[in-house]
Amino acid sequence: MRVLLTGAAGFIGSRLCEALLKHGHEVPGVDDFSTGRAGNVPAGVEMWRADIADPSSVSTWMFSEPDLIYHCAASYKDRDNWERDA
């Protein structure tokens, strides 16, 4: 199964990537690296740097035909800006 994961470089997203890879899934990931770290991303994840809240930074090919999407992208830096994360 092809499972797209937003926030793949964050703590939760990277752990979920590991679990999905162990179960044999193809895992493309997207992160803007505002809080996530490249070192968190496990080998085998096809990774893109993009802000999913900014349509100009997201290419449609990033989202080509996923079977499932896990949305783990959310910034905890600005707790007053919850609308952006939602």
Side-chain angles (χ1 to χ4, degrees):
M1 186 177 343
R2 182 174 166 84
V3 182
L4 173 68
L5 207 140
T6 66
F11 179 79
I12 295 171
S14 62
R15 299 313 185 276
L16 184 53
C17 284
E18 288 175 355
L20 291 166
L21 289 169
K22 283 182 185 177
H23 288 285
H25 299 294
E26 179 186 353
V27 184
V30 179
D31 205 298
D32 68 357
F33 295 97
S34 60
T35 57
R37 294 183 169 78
N40 290 345
V41 181
V45 174
E46 184 180 1
M47 197 66 203
W48 294 286
R49 178 183 293 259
D51 180 352
I52 62 168
D54 176 9
S56 67
S57 75
V58 177
S59 298
T60 55
W61 55 267
M62 290 178 189
F63 298 94
S64 63
E65 301 181 25
D67 298 301
L68 182 66
I69 298 173
Y70 279 106
H71 176 51
C72 298
S75 177
Y76 54 85
K77 284 186 171 185
D78 186 358
R79 295 175 190 215
D80 294 326
N81 193 8
W82 61 268
E83 294 96 348
R84 178 179 171 5
D85 297 333

